[in-house]
């Protein structure tokens, strides 16, 4: 018996679970994002949005950025707000929230000059080995 078939099956099941977790987080985010307004405190914004991201696996998250610019503490938190079915985790799948000294001053990539990485939408994904071809 070829061992690649059970391994491929396990991979597809795990990939499907991760996709479902991400999709669930995206839905929760979409349902709550409108509660956030410019000028809100970081604590308020994260109290609203962070729970929507709890089930997103670490490999499918984007770490926050923090720095000081002209004496202002800048913090950027990224919320998973989209998913491309390409198997990559790219900037365009997140919405950035920019805080200056703990106050929300920007939402979205415009304030940051646009995403640095973008996914490539595909209509079909093909996985092929010598025994089978799977289209999903």
């Amino acid at each position: 018996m070829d061992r690649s078939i059970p391994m491929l099956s396990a991979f597809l099941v795990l990939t499907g679970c991760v996709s479902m977790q991400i999709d669930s987080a995206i839905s929760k985010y979409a349902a709550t994002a409108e509660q956030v307004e410019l000028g809100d405190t970081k604590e308020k914004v994260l109290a609203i949005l962070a729970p929507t991201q709890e089930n997103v696996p670490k490999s499918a998250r984007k770490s926050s950025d923090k720095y000081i610019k002209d004496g202002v503490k800048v913090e950027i938190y990224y919320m998973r707000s989209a998913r491309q079915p390409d198997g990559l985790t790219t900037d365009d799948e997140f919405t950035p929230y920019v805080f200056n000294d703990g106050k929300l001053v920007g939402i979205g990539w415009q304030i940051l000059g646009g995403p640095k990485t973008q996914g490539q939408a595909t209509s079909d994904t093909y996985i092929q080995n010598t025994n089978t071809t799977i289209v999903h």
Side-chain angles (χ1 to χ4, degrees):
M1 178 178 189
D2 187 357
R3 289 185 176 189
S4 63
I5 293 174
M7 291 177 65
L8 179 60
S9 296
F11 172 77
L12 291 175
V13 168
L14 290 174
T15 302
C17 291
V18 169
S19 296
M20 289 187 330
Q21 289 173 314
I22 293 170
D23 290 343
S24 174
I26 292 166
S27 294
K28 290 176 186 176
Y29 167 82
T32 60
E34 291 183 16
Q35 297 175 27
V36 173
E37 296 192 22
L38 294 176
D40 285 348
T41 65
K42 178 179 81 169
E43 292 76 17
K44 178 181 178 184
V45 172
L46 295 181
I48 293 168
L49 297 179
T52 70
Q53 307 291 296
E54 288 176 347
N55 292 327
V56 176
K58 288 189 187 291
S59 63
R61 294 181 186 211
K62 183 169 176 61
S63 298
S64 61
D65 293 316
K66 299 177 185 183
Y67 56 92
I68 294 181
K69 181 177 181 180
D70 299 327
V72 175
K73 182 178 180 183
V74 180
E75 297 175 275
I76 307 168
Y77 291 85
Y78 302 92
M79 300 296 152
R80 190 70 189 241
S81 56
R83 181 175 68 84
Q84 292 289 342
D86 59 4
L88 303 173
T89 300
T90 53
D91 288 350
D92 62 333
E93 297 174 311
F94 297 87
T95 299
Y97 287 77
V98 181
F99 299 89
N100 285 353
D101 289 331
K103 295 285 183 187
L104 183 64
V105 297
I107 302 171
W109 286 102
Q110 299 83 355
I111 195 169
L112 301 175
K116 293 181 179 123
T117 59
Q118 296 181 327
Q120 301 299 317
T122 58
S123 58
D124 290 318
T125 302
Y126 294 94
I127 300 171
Q128 184 173 11
N129 67 23
T130 57
N131 297 322
T132 60
T133 300
I134 300 171
V135 179
H136 55 136

